Amino acid sequence: MPESVTVDQQTDWFEDYSEGADDIQIDEYDITSAPNDFNVMTLHSFIREGSIRIPGFQRHFVWDLPRASKLIESLILGLPVPQMFLYEQRRNEFLVIDGQQRLMSVYYFIEKRFPRKEKRSDLRRIFDEAGMIPEDVLHNDEYFIPFDLRLSEALPGRPNRFKGLNYSTLGDHKRQFDLRPIRNIVVKQNSPNDDDSAMYEVFNRLNSGGVNLRPQEIRTSMYHSEFYNMLYRVNADTRWRQLLQSPRPDLHMKDIEILLRGLAMLVDGDNYAPSMVKFLNQFSKKSESNNSDQNAYLERLVSSFLDSCRALPPGAFLNKNNRRFNIALYEATFAGVMRPAFERRGELEEAAGISPDRIRCLESDPEFVSAAQFATTGTANVRKRLERARVLLCEAE
């Protein structure tokens, strides 16, 4: 990728062949939303126990101490605060759709610790990895300062009675704060159980702020697992970055989606049915149950493929006309080349180098081109592209 391309422009570097989230028809799903007034202590315990997670596409905690203090003061006084939206993935397991800043302000106040501004991205990473903030981090002054309420005084000589207090020094107000309810709207998809696609629209409509989230941003949060940790490792591999001709990970995780699509086509391509969004959702959900051996095997498969691409010229998977990364060409090539090794399920052999001539032959093959131009995510065309890749890359000698 040219150095002049900015991070915000990176997703435009990929030539996509899939529908967006607009192909999801919500009335096909049974979705309910119900109010639930969790009190402050219940919400705090949910965070400590890892029952509430912050989706990966959400920004990290950004409120300053005065703003967080105003929220705490409102709760102490019994003033109304905005409701929060939670998505119930499983019983008592929630993702925050809207309300992270309020929720984390409550959590930090009860812990009597407030995050330093310069450490918040690090804390977000720790929270994602551990599902909580470990005690040794929480009490590390490099990450936190004491959370003493910082409240302004409305009138001269009339000090705010809560100014400078912390959770332990609230006195008689502590119990009423603990039991103060906060209105939560809990959203849940009841059916079908094996397809969470409709939740894309719920996240988009409640949390997008006018900008549609990319499907992979939401998918990564909803189906985070050891399988996805493996994808992150591969995504940072210098061989993969070279193949993409993109030195930096994509802001909207399109590179993760490309890896996901290649593996999904290899493993479940014969069972593909539209839409691409649903297909990748179902594969991600299925992969949540992968054990460590399965994930390690898939990682070795991808690694051997990247080894086999070393002899390819730079930009081998870029469209020759617009110089964008051709996802259809990559996923068909990956699934076609790796199919024999995957079917053996044994130890991987040293992968032979992929011929640049054969990739060019596939890219210009009339049947492949036709299947990549019209109704690209239709079942017949997806299978046709995979079939042509197997014939032209594997069977021909």
Side-chain angles (χ1 to χ4, degrees):
M1 177 182 289
E3 288 303 317
S4 60
V5 177
T6 67
V7 172
D8 288 340
Q9 295 170 318
Q10 279 183 275
T11 299
D12 293 334
W13 193 251
F14 305 107
E15 185 172 60
D16 203 353
Y17 291 88
S18 67
E19 310 98 332
D22 290 339
D23 66 344
I24 296 169
Q25 188 170 327
I26 281 195
D27 62 10
E28 296 176 354
Y29 299 80
D30 178 12
I31 300 173
T32 58
S33 61
N36 198 328
D37 292 339
F38 294 129
N39 65 40
V40 164
M41 288 305 295
T42 298
L43 290 171
H44 173 260
S45 66
F46 278 176
I47 298 175
R48 281 189 65 92
E49 295 166 3
S51 297
I52 287 181
R53 294 196 297 111
I54 311 297
F57 58 79
Q58 297 264 26
R59 61 182 179 170
H60 55 66
F61 185 74
V62 297
W63 278 12
D64 59 15
L65 188 51
R67 185 169 184 181
S69 296
K70 285 295 253 185
L71 173 75
I72 301 303
E73 182 188 37
S74 295
L75 290 169
I76 294 171
L77 295 174
L79 300 178
V81 299
Q83 64 188 7
M84 297 188 293
F85 286 85
L86 303 176
Y87 165 48
E88 186 173 5
Q89 284 189 298
R90 302 171 189 85
R91 182 174 177 81
N92 289 331
E93 291 186 20
F94 305 93
L95 288 177
V96 179
I97 301 176
D98 182 62
Q100 179 202 168
Q101 308 300 316
R102 299 186 292 279
L103 184 64
M104 294 308 294
S105 292
V106 168
Y107 169 75
Y108 288 135
F109 181 67
I110 294 176
E111 296 293 342
K112 303 186 291 292
R113 307 291 281 168
F114 194 79
R116 294 182 182 274
K117 186 175 182 179
E118 68 275 12
K119 292 293 186 179
R120 293 182 184 182
S121 59
D122 293 337
L123 287 170
R124 178 55 192 275
R125 175 183 55 78
I126 293 170
F127 191 97
D128 289 343
E129 292 175 355
M132 56 178 291
I133 299 178
E135 290 292 323
D136 59 332
V137 176
L138 195 60
H139 297 288
N140 188 333
D141 290 340
E142 292 184 7
Y143 289 93
F144 291 92
I145 62 174
F147 194 156
D148 298 325
L149 293 176
R150 187 177 299 175
L151 298 164
S152 60
E153 297 174 353
L155 297 173
R158 295 277 303 273
N160 187 306
R161 56 180 166 158
F162 302 120
K163 182 179 180 180
L165 297 183
N166 61 39
Y167 178 69
S168 295
T169 58
L170 283 180
D172 294 339
H173 299 285
K174 183 174 178 295
R175 182 169 178 77
Q176 65 192 53
F177 172 77
D178 288 346
L179 299 179
R180 185 70 63 196
I182 299 179
R183 173 58 55 96
N184 292 263
I185 304 299
V186 178
V187 182
K188 182 179 181 180
Q189 180 172 310
N190 301 308
S191 65
N193 294 327
D194 61 347
D195 181 5
D196 299 320
S197 297
M199 294 315 300
Y200 283 99
E201 277 301 294
V202 174
F203 274 84
N204 272 326
R205 296 183 189 197
L206 293 177
N207 191 254
S208 64
V211 178
N212 286 337
L213 295 164
R214 305 296 173 92
Q216 189 59 39
E217 294 178 84
I218 302 176
R219 185 181 296 121
T220 298
S221 299
M222 293 178 66
Y223 303 108
H224 184 76
S225 63
E226 287 304 313
F227 169 74
Y228 264 90
N229 288 339
M230 179 271 289
L231 294 183
Y232 299 148
R233 288 195 298 273
V234 175
N235 196 46
D237 191 305
T238 54
R239 296 169 298 169
W240 173 242
R241 305 314 312 176
Q242 178 63 29
L243 198 67
L244 289 174
Q245 290 287 281
S246 170
R248 299 179 300 277
D250 180 59
L251 181 66
H252 300 293
M253 303 182 183
K254 193 65 181 181
D255 38 17
I256 295 288
E257 184 174 271
I258 296 171
L259 286 170
L260 176 68
R261 281 176 61 160
L263 285 168
M265 290 300 173
L266 172 64
V267 177
D268 282 341
D270 290 343
N271 301 315
Y272 173 82
S275 70
M276 186 65 72
V277 166
K278 293 179 183 178
F279 176 66
L280 295 180
N281 274 3
Q282 290 166 353
F283 184 73
S284 295
K285 189 176 185 68
K286 169 185 172 181
S287 299
E288 285 181 317
S289 61
N290 285 5
N291 60 38
S292 58
D293 288 341
Q294 289 173 306
N295 289 326
Y297 175 73
L298 293 176
E299 188 167 2
R300 291 198 304 272
L301 278 176
V302 179
S303 181
S304 65
F305 175 81
L306 295 177
D307 279 341
S308 72
C309 293
R310 288 186 186 277
L312 293 178
F317 289 99
L318 300 189
N319 185 296
K320 60 186 177 183
N321 296 319
N322 58 27
R323 303 302 293 169
R324 290 183 174 182
F325 190 85
N326 189 327
I327 298 176
L329 181 62
Y330 163 77
E331 70 185 12
T333 299
F334 175 81
V337 168
M338 301 312 299
R339 184 64 176 261
F342 179 72
E343 288 179 341
R344 286 195 300 271
R345 293 297 200 282
E347 293 184 8
L348 294 177
E349 299 177 359
E350 187 70 24
I354 297 175
S355 166
D357 292 338
R358 290 193 179 185
I359 291 182
R360 285 195 291 270
C361 182
L362 176 63
E363 184 180 20
S364 59
D365 176 69
E367 291 185 65
F368 181 86
V369 171
S370 176
Q373 286 184 338
F374 306 102
T376 57
T377 59
T379 301
N381 282 339
V382 168
R383 293 182 179 176
K384 174 60 70 175
R385 294 199 301 269
L386 296 179
E387 174 198 344
R388 296 307 295 162
R390 292 169 193 163
V391 170
L392 296 175
L393 297 174
C394 302
E395 298 178 10
E397 292 293 341

